[in-house]
Amino acid sequence: MKKKFLLLSLISLLSINSFAFDDGFDTTDSGFDSAFSDSADFSDNAFVTEDANKLDFEFNGELNLINRIITQGIKNIKDNELNIDDYQKFKTELKVSKANSELKANFLYDSRDEMVKIDEATFRLYYDNYDVLVGKTKLVWGKGDKVHVIDNFNAEDMSDIINPDYLDRKIPENLVQVNYYIGNGNLEFVYAPKTTTTKLADNDLWKTSTQLNLETSLETIATKNLELYSAISNLKNKIYGDNIAENGQVGIRYTNSKNGYDYGISYYHGVEKTASFYMNGSELETSTLSSLSNLPDSAILSTIKNIDIKYKKYDVIGTELSTVLFGINSRAELAYYNIEDSNNQVKSIIGGDKDLALHNINVNVQVKTEYTQNLDNDNFANTLIAKISDKFKNERVLPEIQVVYNIEDKDYMLNNQIEFKVKDDTSFKVMYKIFEGDSGTTFGDFDTNDYLAANFIYKF
């Protein structure tokens, strides 16, 4: 009830304010809700100068001060039962350009890791009708608005599982990219010699119920005796190791524009970014591992020693399209997944956004659908992703409401947010994020993690 009340209150506020102010400004955000946000304001365009030997330097960055109060609901705010999570993120980009080349390096500091890391580092050469990029980077394939089904090269960092921006969740990959330009079209080749795998959460707040159950079972087993402790340690090293699979990745994509339509086709071959468990050639369910502690010690030891970690190979054939239909900025993706030892899948994204005649309101809606072949039940999984935003006070006050709803599981994430642009380079953002659903669902696993957040952002 409290969640419905909060939603209705904010919608009413948005409606009233829409008649009280005049101008607006486009907004960005930083969460799973970031299905609609822009990434850091770093330009990716090639630099060209009349002097081929002249160097051009660019340096910019962004500071984020994030404070979250995990409320577990409105009642806990009144009772002062709060869990405060505060951290800082500082990222910079250095770019050195010449007429036919570009060197770029992004550095990231996250106070939760207490270390500075190279987020991206690439070198690109430009020629008459093609360019070559080599290095560690993040690729995005597809026309979806921060939601994709044909974007497969980069794994995700699930440490803060559903809160960072789409691009921020991506783990950079070492790869080679060749773009060959044919008229208005671009033929793209990508090769990555290895595969970086998904990084699981290490904070209990953001671990899924599946991960928590598995870890609890393994820890229980490890306390039984020294031999089991050693076997469990070896298994955990395989699961939480260096996040690198030896398998390579390869992809080819052709994009073009004609008569107001942007379209593309693509092919990808690689491996799943999360591990599967096998024993004697047969795949094990994660729930089977979680129930090992119920077996005799000898059976547990025999099972663990015979468990093998495998990353399934898969191929993806995809298409993409974007255009303006009836005043709606429309976009779509369709992909067929041929997965080793699994039922194949068909995935799609369809949606668009439109500015309404009422004030500066923009409505953005996308639907993601996954169809799994050869299932008796639950063949479909549909997710609705929607955002309503407005802009007030000469581009300084930016409210928005965002929801991600899994139709079959009936779980959802709701974000109520308002951003204040203090200066062109400085902003302050306040949000209240709500998670709801049954345990074992995407958002239901974080049902007690509702939080109030205040973010300070400075760009230079």
Side-chain angles (χ1 to χ4, degrees):
M1 185 67 185
K2 49 96 177 180
K3 298 182 179 181
K4 292 181 180 178
F5 175 77
L6 180 60
L7 174 58
L8 291 172
S9 299
L10 286 169
I11 292 175
S12 300
L13 178 62
L14 230 155
S15 301
I16 293 171
N17 285 342
S18 66
F19 296 99
F21 299 96
D22 289 327
D23 259 327
F25 194 126
D26 287 330
T27 180
T28 61
D29 59 52
S30 57
F32 185 160
D33 36 346
S34 61
F36 309 99
S37 71
D38 293 323
S39 57
D41 189 22
F42 298 148
S43 174
D44 217 9
N45 294 326
F47 180 84
V48 179
T49 177
E50 294 179 0
D51 185 351
N53 294 316
K54 180 183 176 182
L55 289 177
D56 182 75
F57 292 86
E58 293 182 30
F59 181 75
N60 50 45
E62 180 177 307
L63 173 66
N64 280 264
L65 306 179
I66 300 119
N67 289 272
R68 294 181 191 160
I69 301 175
I70 310 297
T71 63
Q72 299 179 331
I74 298 296
K75 178 180 181 298
N76 296 73
I77 297 179
K78 295 179 180 179
D79 297 340
N80 200 31
E81 296 177 7
L82 306 175
N83 181 356
I84 298 177
D85 178 22
D86 66 298
Y87 61 97
Q88 302 80 45
K89 293 177 72 174
F90 180 61
K91 51 187 175 183
T92 62
E93 177 183 273
L94 173 64
K95 183 160 65 175
V96 182
S97 305
K98 292 178 65 175
N100 63 346
S101 64
E102 177 185 274
L103 178 66
K104 184 171 69 173
N106 294 347
F107 299 91
L108 174 66
Y109 170 78
D110 190 324
S111 62
R112 293 169 295 183
D113 299 330
E114 295 185 345
M115 61 181 295
V116 177
K117 63 182 179 181
I118 299 176
D119 196 36
E120 294 186 78
T122 59
F123 178 68
R124 188 189 295 270
L125 284 174
Y126 297 94
Y127 295 92
D128 291 337
N129 58 347
Y130 69 96
D131 62 68
V132 180
L133 177 142
V134 179
K136 181 181 182 182
T137 191
K138 302 175 182 180
L139 278 180
V140 178
W141 278 12
K143 296 294 190 294
D145 192 353
K146 307 295 174 140
V147 184
H148 302 282
V149 297
I150 68 171
D151 188 29
N152 290 283
F153 274 96
N154 298 96
E156 288 190 284
D157 184 347
M158 311 302 280
S159 300
D160 194 12
I161 191 164
I162 48 182
N163 294 305
D165 176 84
Y166 177 81
L167 196 61
D168 289 340
R169 290 199 308 271
K170 279 176 167 284
I171 301 174
E173 189 65 87
N174 293 309
L175 53 80
V176 178
Q177 178 193 48
V178 178
N179 292 304
Y180 183 69
Y181 303 101
I182 311 168
N184 293 326
N186 176 29
L187 186 60
E188 177 183 358
F189 301 88
V190 181
Y191 171 69
K194 294 185 179 181
T195 300
T196 304
T197 58
T198 300
K199 181 181 178 183
L200 299 176
D202 52 14
N203 183 337
D204 286 350
L205 275 175
W206 303 111
K207 291 179 180 178
T208 64
S209 58
T210 300
Q211 183 182 349
L212 281 171
N213 291 338
L214 177 58
E215 290 181 358
T216 300
S217 178
L218 294 179
E219 289 169 5
T220 300
I221 294 169
T223 60
K224 290 191 173 186
N225 59 59
L226 188 59
E227 192 173 14
L228 282 173
Y229 176 84
S230 177
I232 290 296
S233 296
N234 291 334
L235 179 60
K236 291 176 73 173
N237 285 336
K238 293 179 181 179
I239 300 173
Y240 306 102
D242 58 7
N243 296 99
I244 298 292
E246 295 300 319
N247 309 73
Q249 306 176 76
V250 64
I252 182 171
R253 178 185 182 215
Y254 177 74
T255 54
N256 206 335
S257 299
K258 187 174 183 179
N259 298 328
Y261 291 87
D262 296 331
Y263 62 91
I265 56 174
S266 60
Y267 167 76
Y268 168 86
H269 172 78
V271 295
E272 290 186 336
K273 308 302 187 289
T274 55
S276 297
F277 304 99
Y278 281 77
M279 188 173 70
N280 299 326
S282 299
E283 185 176 359
L284 293 175
E285 297 292 335
T286 305
S287 57
T288 302
L289 294 178
S290 300
S291 62
L292 281 177
S293 56
N294 300 324
L295 300 176
D297 291 359
S298 58
I300 295 174
L301 185 61
S302 175
T303 300
I304 292 174
K305 286 185 175 180
N306 285 286
I307 288 177
D308 187 28
I309 302 294
K310 181 178 179 180
Y311 295 93
K312 296 180 182 178
K313 297 177 183 179
Y314 69 104
D315 299 276
V316 181
I317 299 173
T319 61
E320 56 190 286
L321 177 70
S322 65
T323 189
V324 178
L325 293 174
F326 309 107
I328 300 173
N329 301 314
S330 305
R331 57 190 69 92
E333 296 178 21
L334 177 66
Y336 177 73
Y337 283 64
N338 183 10
I339 308 170
E340 179 183 14
D341 296 336
S342 295
N343 294 322
N344 295 334
Q345 293 181 316
V346 177
K347 300 182 181 182
S348 67
I349 289 285
I350 187 168
D353 70 275
K354 180 178 176 60
D355 294 326
L356 302 185
L358 178 63
H359 201 250
N360 298 305
I361 293 178
N362 177 270
V363 177
N364 193 329
V365 178
Q366 296 182 99
V367 177
K368 179 180 180 180
T369 298
E370 296 184 5
Y371 170 76
T372 304
Q373 296 177 324
N374 303 320
L375 291 182
D376 294 331
N377 298 296
D378 301 325
N379 296 77
F380 285 93
N382 296 281
T383 301
L384 172 68
I385 306 152
K387 181 188 75 169
I388 301 175
S389 62
D390 208 336
K391 328 175 217 181
F392 306 126
K393 285 290 187 181
N394 297 320
E395 307 180 351
R396 297 299 180 188
V397 181
L398 313 168
E400 61 184 48
I401 297 175
Q402 307 153 353
V403 64
V404 181
Y405 178 68
N406 293 311
I407 296 173
E408 283 73 26
D409 289 336
K410 297 180 175 58
D411 63 308
Y412 64 86
M413 182 280 299
L414 173 67
N415 185 42
N416 309 277
Q417 171 181 299
I418 185 166
E419 181 176 6
F420 303 92
K421 301 284 288 187
V422 182
K423 298 283 186 180
D424 290 341
D425 56 4
T426 306
S427 63
F428 181 73
K429 188 185 304 181
V430 180
M431 67 176 67
Y432 188 71
K433 187 171 288 190
I434 295 169
F435 306 99
E436 187 65 52
D438 296 331
S439 178
T441 60
T442 301
F443 302 113
D445 280 346
F446 311 110
D447 194 20
T448 59
N449 286 13
D450 294 359
Y451 68 79
L452 177 68
N455 295 2
F456 172 82
I457 304 163
Y458 173 68
K459 299 179 180 181
F460 60 90

